[in-house]
Amino acid sequence: MSDHEPPSAGPSLWELLVEDWRAERPVAMAEVVAGPEDLVGGKLVVRPGAGNDPAEVVGSLGNGDLDRVVSRDAAGELAAGLSGTRHYGRHGEAMNREVEVFIESFAPPPRMIIFGAVDFTAALGRVGKILGYHVTVCDARPVFATVARFPMADEVIVDWPDRYLAKVGDSLGIRDVVCVLTHDPKFDVPAVVAALETNVGYLGAMGSRRTHDERLARLREAGVEDAGLTRLMSPIGLDIGARTPEETAVAICAEIIARRTGRAAPSLKDREGPIHAVPAQPAAG
Amino acid sequence: MREVMEDVERWRADGKAVAVARVVGVEGSGPRLPGAAMAISDHSEVSGSVSGGCVEGAVVAEAVDILEGDGKPRLCTFGYSDDEAFAVGLTCGGTIRIFIEPLNW
């Protein structure tokens, strides 16, 4: 690994990691952990640029092409807050397992805050975990908001949504999401109003078209203006015909991803008509 | 690796040699996720963990061997898939892969 040590001038890779960690800046490190002996131990650090600035890459895995491909993947893993191994060819080729690279993300995981301790919450929490979220389930009813019902959640909070957001709202940012699944105006109107005060990148609320219309009226009464209503994804989820809690969780998470990446995907919000199509009957006989 | 950074920084400030061990792969049931880390100083100090206590002893031995030996990184696999299943295993039945290296970078 002596070939891959950074030049003696400037901070070492370790010092860069410590510096970024102390400043709470996201940073990723990639290292060859298996493969050709001359590459093992090679490492590079990826520091994302601010805004649209390109990432800064320090260090090397021993090959420029491999560095390029791995830096790109490391930036992707970091954006998702994930760590794990990936395989490449010696020159970064895909579908090749010669070189095993461990990519470690140093980013606080983004947060998924789910209001409402219902069956959909458990499914959404599971999919949220798969996507790397720190999942919080919050409901004001202690009977429903229990760790036993939501073992996948990183935390289960018994509190009113708006009161909870008043406590943590300032710490939420563009990577974080809030999903309001209560479909009870008593809970979800204050939750949406409070969530609109935060900088979360995604805010969605569940409900039928009818629930949605009623909620819009109540939100307007509560003083929410058009900009806020436009930001709210309601009814929550992509229009993929999801039916079960698990399918709905996928529809919601797919919408979260599509919103983040800016891709055009059919959201229920942008359509009219029934959310659930009448299933086609199988032909008799 | 975050969880060992403070201890490692203190050891480095004291001029101690340090090895770091990181979980890079978990198969089946494993107590710690990839990125879980443990640091070992050449003064027999340990910080962090890479499992639920099942393999830490073996990892320390490997790390000391690296610090006292050729300093080359090692990828170690622990779990019931090992030939020496009785030597070091995870009670959970999973397999973890741990990359151990001297902190000289």
Side-chain angles (χ1 to χ4, degrees), chain A residues 56-145:
Chain A
E56 179 192 1
V57 178
V58 187
S60 173
L61 305 183
N63 176 277
D65 292 325
L66 182 61
D67 288 349
R68 234 178 337 269
V69 174
V70 171
S71 321
R72 184 199 63 200
D73 289 349
E77 294 280 38
L78 181 57
L82 299 172
S83 296
T85 56
R86 285 169 176 250
H87 293 84
Y88 305 89
R90 176 178 268 276
H91 306 285
E93 301 93 329
M95 311 295 287
N96 186 316
R97 299 182 69 82
E98 187 184 2
V99 182
E100 181 175 1
V101 176
F102 179 62
I103 297 172
E104 182 168 2
S105 293
F106 296 85
R111 299 196 53 187
M112 172 181 281
I113 298 172
I114 310 172
F115 292 122
V118 298
D119 282 350
F120 289 94
T121 307
L124 180 58
R126 282 198 296 275
V127 180
K129 286 309 295 176
I130 289 172
L131 295 178
Y133 285 95
H134 177 278
V135 173
T136 301
V137 174
C138 175
D139 194 305
R141 302 164 299 179
V143 179
F144 296 114

Side-chain angles (χ1 to χ4, degrees), chain A:
Chain A
M1 67 176 287
S2 55
D3 294 345
H4 309 297
E5 282 168 13
S8 51
S12 69
L13 293 184
W14 170 263
E15 285 161 352
L16 286 182
L17 285 182
V18 172
E19 185 187 320
D20 284 344
W21 169 66
R22 289 207 165 126
E24 295 188 347
R25 284 192 297 261
V27 60
M29 184 169 82
E31 174 162 17
V32 177
V33 296
E37 200 176 341
D38 60 314
L39 296 187
V40 170
K43 48 183 84 63
L44 58 79
V45 166
V46 179
R47 315 171 93 185
N52 290 326
D53 293 348
E56 179 192 1
V57 178
V58 187
S60 173
L61 305 183
N63 176 277
D65 292 325
L66 182 61
D67 288 349
R68 234 178 337 269
V69 174
V70 171
S71 321
R72 184 199 63 200
D73 289 349
E77 294 280 38
L78 181 57
L82 299 172
S83 296
T85 56
R86 285 169 176 250
H87 293 84
Y88 305 89
R90 176 178 268 276
H91 306 285
E93 301 93 329
M95 311 295 287
N96 186 316
R97 299 182 69 82
E98 187 184 2
V99 182
E100 181 175 1
V101 176
F102 179 62
I103 297 172
E104 182 168 2
S105 293
F106 296 85
R111 299 196 53 187
M112 172 181 281
I113 298 172
I114 310 172
F115 292 122
V118 298
D119 282 350
F120 289 94
T121 307
L124 180 58
R126 282 198 296 275
V127 180
K129 286 309 295 176
I130 289 172
L131 295 178
Y133 285 95
H134 177 278
V135 173
T136 301
V137 174
C138 175
D139 194 305
R141 302 164 299 179
V143 179
F144 296 114
T146 63
V147 173
R149 290 190 72 214
F150 304 104
M152 80 298 295
D154 294 287
E155 51 181 356
V156 178
I157 308 274
V158 179
D159 204 345
W160 285 77
D162 50 329
R163 215 165 59 181
Y164 177 65
L165 282 179
K167 285 179 209 155
V168 305
D170 286 348
S171 66
L172 300 177
I174 192 81
R175 296 162 70 228
D176 304 312
V177 306
V178 170
C179 301
V180 181
L181 306 188
T182 48
H183 40 2
D184 178 340
K186 171 163 92 259
F187 293 101
D188 66 13
V189 168
V192 169
V193 171
L196 284 170
E197 297 292 316
T198 72
N199 291 321
V200 291
Y202 177 93
L203 167 61
M206 181 178 271
S208 65
R209 293 283 179 202
R210 188 177 134 174
T211 304
H212 168 71
D213 290 341
E214 287 175 14
R215 184 164 49 218
L216 280 191
R218 286 170 183 270
L219 286 169
R220 283 205 181 89
E221 280 170 28
V224 174
E225 296 184 352
D226 286 350
L229 296 179
T230 303
R231 189 174 156 206
L232 173 66
M233 299 307 293
S234 172
I236 195 169
L238 290 189
D239 186 8
I240 58 173
R243 209 57 227 230
T244 64
E246 293 73 21
E247 289 175 355
T248 305
V250 169
I252 293 170
C253 286
E255 181 171 83
I256 291 170
I257 296 166
R259 283 273 138 178
R260 192 189 71 219
T261 57
R263 297 302 175 95
S267 292
L268 285 165
K269 176 188 172 77
D270 302 325
R271 297 265 301 259
E272 290 180 0
I275 292 171
H276 302 297
V278 178
Q281 296 296 316

